[in-house]
Amino acid sequence: MLPTKASVIIVGGGPCGLMLANELGRRGISAVLVDEKSTTGFNPQANATQARTMEHYRRLGFADEIRGLGLPNDFPTDIAYFTRYAKYELARFKLPSAHDAKIKIHNLSGSWSAAELPHRISQKYVEVVLRAHAEKLPGISINYGWRMTGFRDLGTSVQVDVECVGNGQRQTLEADYMVAADGPRSATREHLGFHYTGETGIVRDFMGGRMYAIYARAPEFYRMVHHAPAWMNVCFNSERRAFMAAVDGKGEFAFHTQLKPGEAEQELTEDDARNMFQAGVGAPVPVEILSRCSWTAGHSLVVDHFRKGRVFLGGDAAHLFTPAGGLGYNTAVEDAVNLGWKLASVIKGCASPKLLDSYEAERRPLAVRNTGYAKKFADSLGLFKPVAEIEDDTPAGAAARSTAGIYFEAHGKAEFNIPGVTFGGRYDHSTAIVYDGSSPPPDASDVYSPTASPGGRPPHLWLSAERSLYDEFGFEWTLLDLGVNNPDATGTRDIYGGQGLDVKVVHAPQARDLYEANFALIRPDQVVAWRGNSREEAALALGQILGTTH
């Protein structure tokens, strides 16, 4: 039997749902999560955890655990482009291994001044970590093998009907709120009458239309392919285009290829899948097919609403990406981060229910922005077509490969060096931000200009060799005291007048020039909420955001 009552019912046990369970459980909010799958994902799915997501994992205390999983510690996370993996290499965008990333991050500045660098890891590994940590939290109940069959918003609570997939047992659960992260075919979205908006059905030579995903084990790959290993491998020829992520660095791969006219997905056999993989390799490498399925590329979709009453949408239920730039899973995680503290604040009585209106106001524009970036990257990759002679051992073939190499060198940098996309998302025009009239820098994919203009990510600073300014932030609210004459400022304070809302005050005068103010108020999701020149102003700003008085 599942717990019949909780503060929040979460439908969907992917990254969004599991992250939300962690955010709520850390704040003492009870939640029941259901997912009709038998367990966390088997297929690799998303393969890139962006730096901002890693900063959130650091905030929760398990970034190092995640960075230790997936590829071997010394495996290069390069993006490499080939005619076929065992044939000609066209271009390579080099990126550090997990080991090197932990060292390199301490010496970076400007656009890449951060507490964490990206990590290349299959979603299947991430989900295991998120689940394990959620299950340790009091009041959190994680239940795979249970499907949501219906729900009713009663105005003061939500009733959710669930059914055990294995034996048909049924229960009705009740909660203050329901959050649906139940994927692109979301039954919740359909029941609410919400619709995706944006573009779909985009046709490209590659990354548009029906794709075929093959989870393969081929340990002989690294012996038969003599190029240096890479995390992401793209093959570019007129017969079989594909991209392939290394899953474990030992011989497991997530291989994705475009289905060609005449390749009916329902008729494809395991031998067909094996032949597809070997065509991409360009050599008869022995391969075991672990799983295979089809999916559709060419989406850049965002739902028209993220909330109705006490029911919220997040993750793929709210936005659907073509997986260029690795933005879908990371956007889903930030949905949970954004919503988690707001739900907890309202449930605990620390904030007005109006605070929840800011979830859609903040996350929907970010989803539109991020799907737009992903579409741009997919267009760049998919609309560039190979010429017939690209694989020929002739002067014309060499010239074609040179041209393609120049193009892919620029494309790789554009798609995978994206600090602006990663760090530059902002919550402008939100009621959960107190603006100061400053203008943020222009939004650009490849450049991030640190700014404390309220509504964006706080500027980062290393306080010592291993200690990030972000490590000093409280799990809830943080008030940065940036003045030089207050050495005893650090500590937990009730700046808000006895309402049980403690704010961690951090004295950090070395960050004064970055923040351009004497004080800055940092939200629980590590977003600058306000900046100014007195604690009294900070308290007023906090009250304005929470929609309460003191």
Side-chain angles (χ1 to χ4, degrees), residues 313-331:
L313 295 178
D316 287 352
H319 37 72
L320 197 57
F321 290 70
T322 291
L327 302 181
Y329 138 65
N330 293 276
T331 304

Side-chain angles (χ1 to χ4, degrees), residues 278-414:
Q278 291 174 336
V281 177
V285 57
V287 56
E288 176 188 0
I289 306 301
L290 302 176
S291 68
R292 53 195 176 94
C293 64
S294 59
W295 58 279
T296 301
H299 296 311
S300 51
L301 299 171
V302 179
V303 75
D304 47 6
H305 296 289
F306 278 44
R307 176 196 181 188
K308 185 175 183 180
R310 290 178 172 267
V311 180
F312 298 81
L313 295 178
D316 287 352
H319 37 72
L320 197 57
F321 290 70
T322 291
L327 302 181
Y329 138 65
N330 293 276
T331 304
V333 168
E334 285 216 80
D335 289 345
V337 172
N338 185 287
L339 184 56
W341 73 268
K342 295 174 181 177
L343 281 172
S345 298
V346 172
I347 291 168
K348 289 180 175 181
C350 298
S352 164
K354 292 182 180 179
L355 176 64
L356 298 175
D357 294 339
S358 67
Y359 172 64
E360 177 178 321
E362 293 181 349
R363 293 308 298 164
R364 190 175 187 280
L366 255 292
V368 171
R369 167 192 186 263
N370 289 355
T371 54
Y373 273 124
K375 178 184 181 297
K376 177 182 176 182
F377 300 145
D379 283 344
S380 176
L381 181 63
L383 296 177
F384 183 59
K385 299 181 180 181
V387 296
E389 62 270 25
I390 189 77
E391 298 186 272
D392 292 352
D393 187 14
T394 63
R401 290 189 290 277
S402 176
T403 298
I406 293 170
Y407 183 90
F408 283 125
E409 183 174 349
H411 169 86
K413 184 176 182 180

Side-chain angles (χ1 to χ4, degrees), residues 8-313:
V8 181
I9 304 297
I10 303 170
V11 182
C16 182
L18 289 169
M19 189 67 170
L20 181 60
N22 277 280
E23 295 286 350
L24 294 173
R26 292 290 186 96
R27 294 180 166 90
I29 302 300
S30 62
V32 176
L33 180 150
V34 295
D35 190 303
E36 64 180 328
K37 300 191 305 292
S38 61
T39 187
T40 53
F42 172 75
N43 293 320
Q45 296 176 281
N47 291 283
T49 299
Q50 300 293 4
R52 182 62 167 157
T53 303
M54 288 298 295
E55 287 181 338
H56 285 305
Y57 294 159
R58 184 186 185 103
R59 176 174 55 84
L60 292 175
F62 47 75
D64 285 346
E65 183 179 352
I66 285 181
R67 199 173 288 281
L69 298 176
L71 300 173
N73 203 33
D74 59 351
F75 195 93
T77 60
D78 300 354
I79 296 90
Y81 301 85
F82 309 88
T83 55
R84 300 176 198 254
Y85 305 136
K87 301 298 183 181
Y88 297 101
E89 181 171 322
L90 301 171
R92 181 177 291 257
F93 182 60
K94 292 188 175 183
L95 288 171
S97 66
H99 172 268
D100 292 343
K102 291 187 69 173
I103 298 172
K104 187 174 183 179
I105 187 61
H106 298 278
N107 300 310
L108 298 178
S109 60
S111 288
W112 281 109
S113 177
E116 298 281 344
L117 281 180
H119 182 51
R120 310 306 179 182
I121 181 174
S122 166
Q123 179 180 317
K124 62 182 291 182
Y125 300 124
V126 174
E127 288 185 0
V128 171
V129 174
L130 292 176
R131 178 181 182 177
H133 283 274
E135 289 180 331
K136 295 176 184 177
L137 297 171
I140 299 298
S141 176
I142 305 296
N143 306 276
Y144 287 87
W146 286 80
R147 68 167 64 95
M148 185 271 290
T149 59
F151 66 91
R152 293 163 297 284
D153 186 340
L154 303 180
T156 57
S157 64
V158 182
Q159 288 183 342
V160 182
D161 301 322
V162 296
E163 179 182 57
C164 179
V165 175
N167 60 20
Q169 177 184 347
R170 296 184 178 184
Q171 283 186 245
T172 296
L173 315 180
E174 189 164 359
D176 296 315
Y177 297 96
M178 170 179 151
V179 179
D182 49 349
R185 296 181 178 85
S186 170
T188 309
R189 185 183 65 243
E190 293 183 7
H191 180 86
L192 295 175
F194 295 166
H195 303 283
Y196 281 138
T197 62
E199 294 186 85
T200 188
I202 297 172
V203 178
R204 305 183 182 96
D205 184 59
F206 183 54
M207 295 288 278
R210 298 302 285 169
M211 301 281 293
Y212 206 62
I214 300 169
Y215 183 17
R217 180 181 290 127
E220 290 294 299
F221 179 90
Y222 293 112
R223 184 183 64 81
M224 297 180 67
V225 173
H226 299 294
H227 300 293
W231 159 68
M232 181 60 68
N233 305 267
V234 181
C235 72
F236 183 68
N237 60 74
S238 55
E239 178 197 0
R240 176 63 64 191
R241 295 191 64 172
F243 69 91
M244 182 178 76
V247 174
D248 65 352
K250 302 173 184 177
E252 288 189 7
F253 301 95
F255 178 90
H256 299 261
T257 187
Q258 184 113 11
L259 291 177
K260 297 182 291 186
E263 290 182 331
E265 55 205 72
Q266 65 275 14
E267 298 176 5
L268 293 174
T269 66
E270 190 168 296
D271 282 342
D272 293 326
R274 186 175 294 105
N275 290 336
M276 289 177 178
F277 182 85
Q278 291 174 336
V281 177
V285 57
V287 56
E288 176 188 0
I289 306 301
L290 302 176
S291 68
R292 53 195 176 94
C293 64
S294 59
W295 58 279
T296 301
H299 296 311
S300 51
L301 299 171
V302 179
V303 75
D304 47 6
H305 296 289
F306 278 44
R307 176 196 181 188
K308 185 175 183 180
R310 290 178 172 267
V311 180
F312 298 81
L313 295 178

Side-chain angles (χ1 to χ4, degrees), residues 461-543:
L461 181 72
W462 287 104
L463 301 177
S464 67
E466 296 295 330
R467 193 71 176 168
S468 163
L469 175 63
Y470 286 15
D471 297 334
E472 298 299 317
F473 292 168
F475 187 69
E476 299 296 347
W477 291 85
T478 302
L479 180 64
L480 288 179
D481 184 336
L482 303 161
V484 297
N485 297 317
N486 196 8
D488 299 322
T490 296
T492 300
R493 304 281 190 276
D494 184 357
I495 71 166
Y496 190 52
Q499 297 298 310
L501 188 69
D502 290 335
V503 177
K504 184 177 182 182
V505 180
V506 175
H507 188 231
Q510 60 270 61
R512 175 63 177 76
D513 290 344
L514 274 176
Y515 284 78
E516 300 180 302
N518 290 330
F519 292 91
L521 187 63
I522 311 300
R523 297 191 335 185
D525 53 353
Q526 295 187 347
V527 170
V528 179
W530 163 91
R531 65 177 172 178
N533 293 310
S534 75
R535 290 194 184 194
E536 291 74 21
E537 292 175 13
L540 291 172
L542 188 55

Side-chain angles (χ1 to χ4, degrees), residues 110-111 369 373 417-421 423-424 441-450:
S111 288
R369 167 192 186 263
Y373 273 124
N417 182 33
I418 52 172
V421 178
F423 300 133
D443 188 11
S445 63
D446 59 343
V447 176
Y448 164 68
S449 300

